Amino acid sequence: MDVMRFARRWSWVAVLVIGLALFYAVRRATLDTGNPNLIPSLILLGAAVVPMAFVAFLAGRRIEYGVSGGTLALTALVGGVIGVVTAGVLEYDTLHGLEVLPMVAVGLIEESAKLIAPLVLVFVLKPRKPADGLLIGVASGAGFATLETMGYAFVTLIQSKGDIGAVDDVLFLRGVLSPAAHMAWTGLTAAALWYAADRRWHTSAVARFVGIFVVAVALHTAWDSLGNTVAYAILAAVSLGLLGVTTHRLAARGYALAHA
């Protein structure tokens, strides 16, 4: 049991190290051969490694959850695709309908789109544990962040006329920041959603979910609006701090229930 707990706790290191090694190998091969067929693999690995490692990191914390690794992987894939497509369509329609897309609208649309998969799963998976919601939300945010980063990297590749260095910059910046952005915000809101379901949609629990969702939209809006290093650092600290507090409370709650 101790070995399994140790492996679970530190699996994120293996994911990160192996992922970075694969990224470096593909990058080296791309530069050495000039083969454009390797670029999709380069972008995919560069966009996915940090989000995958962060999901593994949270799964290794001492929180009592029942969701499987397969469910998390499927949530990241399906939730990410649904979220990106839904957000893209809604943002396009809003832009053409209003001829302007305020940052608050972007935050509202994207935070809502990332919750589609968790919202479906909260009615499918039982029992409903807030810790499951946290992990599912983080996984959905990871899928969204990965696909969005791939899009930005692809556009940068075209605009820079094939400059791998420019693509590296986009992958590094967005990869490092993804846990403190999309993943943290959706993890917080999904945990609150699961909590509301666990409380049989009691008014206070639903109000709590709505409040946390508003906070997530506000953080997202500030992130998109300010756009400088100091602002990113402050918002990242706030987002990860909130996620850390939530994770700690869920771990304490699970421990109390297990020893009740």
Side-chain angles (χ1 to χ4, degrees), residues 33-53:
T33 65
N35 185 355
N37 292 334
L38 297 175
I39 291 178
S41 298
L42 179 74
I43 292 177
L44 174 60
L45 284 168
V49 169
V50 172
M52 288 172 57

Side-chain angles (χ1 to χ4, degrees), residues 13 17 21 34 44 69 80-81 116 128 130 145 154 177 227 235 256:
V13 177
V17 172
L44 174 60
V81 171
I116 293 175
R128 296 162 178 159
F154 179 71
L177 293 177
L235 291 171

Side-chain angles (χ1 to χ4, degrees), residues 44-67:
L44 174 60
L45 284 168
V49 169
V50 172
M52 288 172 57
F54 191 69
V55 172
F57 172 78
L58 281 184
R61 300 313 91 193
R62 293 183 177 180
I63 54 177
E64 295 294 329
Y65 64 89
V67 65

Side-chain angles (χ1 to χ4, degrees), residues 157-252:
L157 181 71
I158 294 175
Q159 292 178 342
S160 66
K161 298 180 180 180
D163 185 355
I164 298 298
V167 174
D168 286 343
D169 292 340
V170 171
L171 293 174
F172 176 77
L173 179 62
R174 293 187 62 85
V176 169
L177 293 177
S178 61
H182 286 303
M183 299 173 71
W185 302 330
T186 311
L188 290 168
T189 52
L193 178 64
W194 248 255
Y195 178 81
D198 184 53
R199 290 293 182 271
R200 299 183 182 275
W201 308 107
H202 190 275
T203 303
S204 62
V206 173
R208 175 178 175 176
F209 161 70
V210 173
I212 292 176
F213 179 78
V214 170
V215 170
V217 172
L219 288 170
H220 193 148
T221 302
W223 188 283
D224 289 342
S225 301
L226 299 177
N228 61 72
T229 304
V230 175
Y232 283 152
I234 294 174
L235 291 171
V238 172
S239 300
L240 289 177
L242 291 173
L243 187 65
V245 169
T246 301
T247 303
H248 176 74
R249 286 181 175 176
L250 290 177

Side-chain angles (χ1 to χ4, degrees), residues 89-103 105-106 109:
V89 171
L90 290 177
E91 287 171 5
Y92 177 85
D93 290 344
T94 303
L95 177 63
H96 281 258
L98 301 179
E99 296 183 355
V100 63
L101 189 61
M103 289 298 102
V106 174
I109 289 171

Side-chain angles (χ1 to χ4, degrees), residues 17-29:
V17 172
I18 294 173
L20 289 177
L22 291 173
F23 172 78
Y24 177 79
V26 173
R27 185 181 186 279
R28 187 71 265 164

